[in-house]
């Protein structure tokens, strides 16, 4: 039970990686507060986990709102007395080059993928300082490190998130707060499948074909990314700070 008596806040808790994270941390003894946009979806997940004997707490809302981001950290403090671990997992993937990208697509990507992380970290770090330390893990992307084609808003926001992670890691290591990012390539999530569906492509066939391009033989499953995030949040990674950890199955963005 790596996370006994630790309080963890997880954003994007209802998504593919998010659900894997919520169940993993709850199963390893953490006090879990998760967030997502839909009250109904959050409630359904919490009830499903309760049937497995896992207790969680949630607060639904819009991460594009500064007040909600701050309220999420305040809720963790009110409910559990503090914040030990913050997992900034929520993200969106607007698709298109600059000519296809509307103002709303651009600012939504920055608001959710970057600015919300800024607000959440700014609210959580003082709580971690009081406790003598903590861990923050952000979900960036290999496409933030090596930008791919046709996703200018997504790649830009994830690259900025990688830079934010390194800056925070260096600034707050003296506080005992480790800040790292996980950078996945393709992951078998509803978000990935919805992209194929939007383009009229059968998602099952597309994922099978994508798997053939990965040296390890398959694209990542959500639990495979959640396991790396949990490692970075745990004491096992106590000397890892300010890093962007690529989790790609050895597949480059190009080639």
């Amino acid at each position: 039970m790596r996370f006994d008596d630790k309080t963890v806040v997880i954003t994007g808790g209802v998504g593919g990686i998010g659900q894997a994270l919520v169940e993993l941390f709850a199963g390893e003894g953490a006090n879990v507060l998760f967030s997502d946009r839909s009250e109904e979806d959050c409630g359904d997940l919490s009830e499903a986990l309760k049937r497995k004997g896992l207790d969680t707490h949630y607060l639904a809302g819009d991460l594009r709102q500064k007040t909600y981001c701050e309220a999420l950290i305040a809720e963790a403090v009110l409910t559990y007395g503090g914040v030990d671990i913050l997992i900034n997992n929520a993200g969106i993937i607007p698709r298109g080059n600059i000519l296809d990208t509307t103002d709303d697509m651009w600012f939504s990507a920055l608001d959710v993928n970057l600015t919300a992380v800024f607000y959440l970290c700014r609210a959580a770090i003082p709580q971690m300082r009081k406790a003598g330390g903590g861990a923050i893990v952000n979900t960036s992307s290999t496409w933030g490190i090596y930008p791919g084609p046709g996703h200018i808003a997504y790649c830009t926001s994830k690259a900025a998130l990688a830079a934010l992670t390194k800056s925070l890691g260096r600034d707050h290591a003296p506080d005992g707060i480790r800040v790292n990012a996980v950078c996945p390539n393709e992951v078998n999530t509803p978000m990935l499948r919805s992209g194929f569906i939007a383009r009229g492509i059968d998602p099952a066939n597309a994922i099978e074909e994508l798997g053939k391009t990965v040296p390890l033989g398959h694209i990542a499953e959500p639990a495979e990314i959640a396991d790396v995030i949990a490692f970075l949040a745990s004491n096992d990674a106590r000397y890892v700070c300010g890093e962007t950890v690529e989790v790609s199955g050895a597949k480059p963005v190009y080639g």
Side-chain angles (χ1 to χ4, degrees):
M1 304 290 274
R2 288 176 292 178
F3 303 108
D4 268 342
D5 299 322
K6 299 292 186 182
T7 295
V8 56
V9 176
I10 301 169
T11 66
V14 174
I17 296 172
Q19 289 195 32
L21 285 167
V22 172
E23 184 164 358
L24 186 158
F25 278 93
E28 292 208 36
N31 302 315
V32 175
L33 171 64
F34 70 90
S35 81
D36 218 296
R37 290 174 297 178
S38 166
E39 180 85 23
E40 182 179 0
D41 290 345
C42 286
D44 288 346
L45 176 58
S46 187
E47 286 300 316
L49 292 173
K50 189 176 293 185
R51 290 192 290 272
K52 295 183 177 183
L54 301 175
D55 288 326
T56 59
H57 188 67
Y58 66 86
L59 182 67
D62 185 353
L63 286 172
R64 294 174 296 178
Q65 302 299 319
K66 173 184 173 182
T67 52
Y68 170 67
C69 295
E70 293 172 343
L72 188 59
I73 301 303
E75 182 74 11
V77 174
L78 179 65
T79 304
Y80 297 119
V83 180
D84 300 296
I85 299 166
L86 171 61
I87 310 295
N88 289 304
N89 169 69
I92 60 173
I93 308 181
R95 296 176 173 88
N97 63 30
I98 195 167
L99 301 179
D100 302 322
T101 301
T102 65
D103 290 359
D104 183 63
M105 291 165 65
W106 177 259
F107 286 110
S108 291
L110 292 176
D111 287 347
V112 176
N113 296 349
L114 180 64
T115 305
V117 177
F118 169 79
Y119 289 144
L120 287 158
C121 289
R122 191 172 65 180
I125 284 171
Q127 300 298 327
M128 293 179 178
R129 269 180 167 169
K130 286 181 191 176
I136 298 172
V137 185
N138 301 321
T139 301
S140 182
S141 171
T142 55
W143 283 49
I145 308 297
Y146 316 103
H151 289 71
I152 192 165
Y154 176 75
C155 291
T156 301
S157 64
K158 291 297 188 178
L161 180 56
L164 177 69
T165 297
K166 288 181 175 290
S167 294
L168 287 172
R170 282 148 182 74
D171 286 347
H172 295 286
D175 299 319
I177 301 170
R178 296 183 303 100
V179 187
N180 295 289
V182 65
C183 300
N185 206 322
E186 297 104 347
V187 185
N188 186 9
T189 63
M191 185 180 291
L192 181 71
R193 290 172 175 266
S194 69
F196 291 126
I197 293 169
R199 287 173 280 168
I201 301 169
D202 177 69
N205 289 339
I207 287 168
E208 183 178 354
E209 290 303 310
L210 267 181
K212 296 175 183 177
T213 70
V214 181
L216 275 181
H218 67 279
I219 67 169
E221 292 297 327
E224 292 174 309
I225 306 303
D227 283 343
V228 178
I229 292 172
F231 164 73
L232 291 172
S234 77
N235 194 52
D236 293 336
R238 58 192 173 274
Y239 201 65
V240 183
C241 187
E243 298 297 335
T244 51
V245 180
E246 297 173 34
V247 188
S248 64
K251 178 183 175 178
V253 173
Y254 293 105

